[in-house]
Amino acid sequence: MIFREVEDRDLIAKARRGHVEAYNVLVSRWEKRVFNYLLRLVGQREDALDLSQDVFLKAYQNLKKLDDPAKFPGWLFRIAHNEAYSLLRKNRPEGEMTVEPKMAEASGGLFPIESTLAVRSALAKLSDDHREAVLLKVYQGFKFEEMAEILSCPVSTVKSRLYTALDLLKQTLAPVNSGGAE
Amino acid sequence: MSCSSDDLKAYVVGEMTRQERGMVDDHVRGCQGCREELDRLNLTQAALVSLEDEEIPRRIAFVSDRVFEPRWWQTMWRSGPVMGFASSALLAGAILVHGFEARPIAVATDAGLTKQISELQAQRAADIAKFNDQLRATEVRFEHQRQEDLATVQQAAEYYQKQVARFEMASNEAYKQ
């Protein structure tokens, strides 16, 4: 993990000097995570792809403003968060905060397809703020302090959003959980 | 530790220290309600992480664009060795130009300074003239003294010549007698 961090730091340093290929390597490492975060947040694949490209373009243009290369992941996801919310605010009328995501069909895994669809549906029913808290913690593994920086809000707010989201998901997924546990 | 749903959630999402996790483990062993709640949260977490990441439909890549490429001077500016070499070359050039340059005498443009210089030059000329006058007077005085000394020596010589001639005459007369 440390070795990977050093490599990212080296790529960032090269990209800052104008090495586009070094930046492309950095993009290849992070594009899947950023794309899936955006996909689960905005719900539309084409939007998520366009946003991903915008995120990496803005990151490249502002790479010199990144004080500490070790904070690149949080910094990148902060850009992604800002881009996603710009789109969400533009696309949705005030008060309408959730949409049914149109994602690809499940491709199998440890849980049955019903479980995968149920999880997607449960995530889609959350508000954007609650869903984003789950995405950053459960799927991206950020710490509360990092999430607070990404979302520009206090740690207490981050905790409140995540815990509320977990309570809602627990209720929504209860039948699935029971089925999975049996 | 008392029953706390938030603590159980922090436990599930990995936001607890080892010591805090131990306290939760101890509590859950003796509290059926919290044990069931923890099970539900773990199942929810497991259901969430079962959702696999999708592959990105199109890879994101950037081509070298002149808009984003650094200019030649930016590249040079950011390169330490190049800047060091350029600085050395500039310094060497400056030394060469300085060495071969026909430098004009600096002309004082300040009026006060010019006047002061003129006064000093006049004073210096007066001092030199005075010294020359004194030198010439001294030379004249020494010449007079030399002439006087020379005259005295000549008189003495004439006196001794006369005395010698007188003694010779006296000696010749005495020899004849």
Side-chain angles (χ1 to χ4, degrees):
Chain A
M1 192 66 183
I2 295 172
F3 183 61
R4 167 65 182 269
E5 186 179 307
V6 171
E7 285 183 339
D8 276 358
R9 189 189 300 265
D10 187 45
L11 291 171
I12 291 166
K14 281 187 176 177
R16 279 175 160 172
R17 294 195 295 269
H19 291 216
V20 177
E21 283 312 309
Y23 188 68
N24 279 333
V25 175
L26 199 62
V27 171
S28 69
R29 287 181 176 180
W30 289 94
E31 62 183 358
K32 190 175 177 181
R33 285 180 61 176
V34 170
F35 171 74
N36 276 277
Y37 162 77
L38 291 167
L39 177 60
R40 289 165 184 161
L41 196 54
V42 302
Q44 302 286 339
R45 182 173 287 96
E46 281 305 312
D47 285 344
L49 189 58
D50 290 346
L51 286 175
S52 298
Q53 289 173 332
D54 291 345
V55 166
F56 284 107
L57 179 60
K58 287 200 172 179
Y60 186 61
Q61 290 170 329
N62 293 283
L63 208 52
K64 292 186 184 68
K65 296 177 184 172
L66 175 62
D67 296 328
D68 183 3
K71 292 186 175 178
F72 177 75
W75 179 77
L76 184 66
F77 274 82
R78 175 159 174 69
I79 296 173
H81 160 82
N82 290 337
E83 290 296 307
Y85 270 69
S86 293
L87 182 73
L88 291 173
R89 277 192 291 270
K90 190 168 68 178
N91 288 354
R92 292 184 197 168
E94 194 71 25
E96 185 185 340
M97 295 302 290
T98 59
V99 291
E100 284 289 332
K102 296 171 184 170
M103 300 181 197
E105 290 301 312
S107 55
L110 293 176
F111 279 66
I113 188 168
E114 293 81 5
S115 174
T116 302
L117 293 174
V119 171
R120 285 180 177 160
S121 176
L123 281 172
K125 286 176 182 169
L126 296 176
S127 71
D128 293 334
D129 289 344
H130 289 149
R131 185 166 60 255
E132 189 176 30
V134 174
L135 298 180
L136 291 173
K137 167 53 76 179
V138 177
Y139 294 101
Q140 304 301 332
F142 285 111
K143 292 288 178 189
F144 283 151
E145 287 76 13
E146 294 172 318
M147 291 170 66
E149 286 187 15
I150 292 169
L151 303 175
S152 297
C153 67
V155 170
S156 58
T157 304
V158 170
K159 285 184 182 178
S160 172
R161 287 179 186 175
L162 180 67
Y163 293 166
T164 301
L166 287 176
D167 278 335
L168 293 168
L169 288 168
K170 186 181 63 183
Q171 292 166 14
T172 310
L173 295 171
V176 177
N177 289 346
S178 301
E182 285 171 359
Chain B
M1 178 187 164
S2 58
C3 299
S4 167
S5 179
D6 284 357
D7 283 346
L8 295 177
K9 293 186 184 87
Y11 180 96
V12 169
V13 298
E15 285 280 354
M16 276 192 161
T17 63
R18 180 177 293 181
Q19 186 182 4
E20 290 169 336
R21 291 181 68 84
M23 291 170 66
V24 172
D25 288 335
D26 290 342
H27 174 77
V28 167
R29 270 193 289 271
C31 178
Q32 186 178 354
C34 285
R35 190 163 60 245
E36 289 173 359
E37 174 68 4
L38 187 58
D39 286 342
R40 283 192 290 272
L41 287 169
N42 277 327
L43 282 172
T44 303
Q45 168 100 337
L48 288 171
V49 298
S50 72
L51 197 61
E52 292 181 344
D53 278 350
E54 290 190 22
E55 289 299 325
I56 189 164
R58 284 195 305 274
R59 299 295 305 276
I60 298 171
F62 295 91
V63 294
S64 182
D65 192 323
R66 293 189 66 82
V67 173
F68 301 116
E69 281 181 358
R71 303 291 177 88
W72 66 268
W73 58 267
Q74 288 175 318
T75 306
M76 197 177 81
W77 182 256
R78 290 168 191 163
S79 170
V82 173
M83 276 304 290
F85 178 77
S87 301
S88 302
L90 191 63
L91 183 62
I95 291 171
L96 280 174
V97 169
H98 181 76
F100 287 106
E101 183 188 27
R103 285 166 291 169
I105 297 171
V107 178
T109 54
D110 184 72
L113 187 61
T114 306
K115 184 183 176 185
Q116 197 173 2
I117 290 171
S118 299
E119 288 173 356
L120 285 171
Q121 285 175 336
Q123 181 67 39
R124 176 171 163 272
D127 289 343
I128 291 172
K130 184 179 177 182
F131 174 78
N132 286 335
D133 291 344
Q134 289 175 342
L135 183 62
R136 275 193 294 273
T138 304
E139 285 175 348
V140 169
R141 192 164 64 248
F142 273 106
E143 182 61 22
H144 287 165
Q145 185 66 41
R146 193 177 72 85
Q147 293 294 338
E148 288 175 0
D149 293 343
L150 190 59
T152 304
V153 169
Q154 282 179 343
Q155 287 175 357
E158 287 173 0
Y159 172 77
Y160 285 116
Q161 283 176 352
K162 287 178 182 176
Q163 290 294 331
V164 168
R166 192 175 304 132
F167 282 125
E168 281 180 353
M169 284 177 62
S171 176
N172 289 336
E173 287 176 358
Y175 180 74
K176 287 177 184 175
Q177 292 173 358

